[in-house]
Amino acid sequence: SEHRIYLAKASAMVVGGMVSITIGGVEIAVDFTAPAIAALLLLTTPIRDCAILLLACMIHESAHFLFLGIFRKMPARLRISGVGLHLDVPEAVLCPLPVLTAILLAGAAANFTAALLFFAMHIPDAAMGNLSLGVWNLLPYRAADGGTLLYAWLEERMLERNTERLLWIWRAVWITATALLAAVFLISGGANPSVWGMLIFLVLSELLQ
């Protein structure tokens, strides 16, 4: 059966503004968190690594666009925020869960494929950039593809029967994920400020849903 669900990464309105223009019927919106995270990246990350991340984002979103076209779903907005690019379609669109799954997982699948190709071409930095972005987008937050899909799956099975149970399960999932990620970052000592900034944004997006 079909259900009313968002096709793109769900994102909360964080305090602040958004600048947008419309091109070809698609709104291009830049959230205030985008320049903030970009500034952090430029201050803490080499320019070459920033370029690799941008390329990985383009590969990721191009795959989303491709599958939206395959399933004839027209995006209404491309939102650029602190955790990347978000494709939105009108919320009234009805979409079966298998179609939503294909659209949402296309981005990470494209990054993993690109990572394999870059490894084969002996370009490890580009490979790791795509691998990292693919994994990041599978995290269980509604501002990420994996979280959007997991929430839609839980919603389809629980919403009509027990909304409160759904919310409790979801809180347990993302709070546990946050605790584990923070522990890994602290133990490894390898997370730069921009990564912490993106994690904080993901948490805020859940709190403000």
Side-chain angles (χ1 to χ4, degrees):
S1 60
E2 295 184 334
H3 300 270
R4 182 187 297 260
I5 47 183
Y6 291 101
L7 290 183
K9 308 164 189 174
S11 54
M13 289 301 295
V14 182
V15 178
M18 184 182 295
V19 178
S20 66
I21 59 173
T22 300
I23 300 176
V26 179
E27 180 187 4
I28 311 296
V30 180
D31 189 277
F32 85 102
T33 58
I37 293 296
L40 266 177
L41 280 170
L42 290 172
L43 288 171
T44 60
T45 308
I47 295 296
R48 183 173 184 274
D49 291 344
C50 291
I52 288 173
L53 180 60
L54 178 61
L55 174 61
C57 287
M58 292 174 63
I59 291 171
H60 184 97
E61 300 304 328
S62 294
H64 284 316
F65 269 116
L66 175 62
F67 274 73
L68 282 168
I70 290 173
F71 292 107
R72 299 182 180 179
K73 304 295 183 183
M74 177 64 181
R77 181 169 68 169
L78 173 63
R79 178 184 174 190
I80 305 171
S81 76
V83 290
L85 289 79
H86 312 261
L87 282 170
D88 300 313
V89 298
E91 61 178 298
V93 172
L94 295 176
C95 181
L97 196 54
V99 172
L100 179 67
T101 300
I103 292 172
L104 289 179
L105 295 185
N111 286 132
F112 295 147
T113 301
L116 289 174
L117 291 174
F118 282 125
F119 272 125
M121 296 166 62
H122 304 289
I123 311 177
D125 290 346
M128 287 305 299
N130 276 276
L131 182 62
S132 298
L133 184 65
V135 171
W136 186 266
N137 272 276
L138 295 180
L139 293 177
Y141 299 91
R142 282 173 286 182
D145 295 328
T148 302
L149 181 58
L150 178 58
Y151 190 87
W153 184 85
L154 290 171
E155 187 178 44
E156 182 177 75
R157 285 156 178 76
M158 296 183 183
L159 185 59
E160 296 180 358
R161 291 175 288 176
N162 196 328
T163 305
E164 190 63 28
R165 184 185 177 195
L166 166 66
L167 294 175
W168 275 107
I169 290 175
W170 184 249
R171 290 189 194 105
V173 167
W174 71 260
I175 289 173
T176 300
T178 301
L180 290 174
L181 285 170
V184 169
F185 293 165
L186 289 171
I187 293 171
S188 66
N192 63 36
S194 61
V195 174
W196 281 105
M198 288 188 285
L199 179 60
I200 290 170
F201 179 86
L202 290 172
V203 172
L204 287 175
S205 71
E206 287 297 336
L207 292 174
L208 296 175
Q209 283 286 341

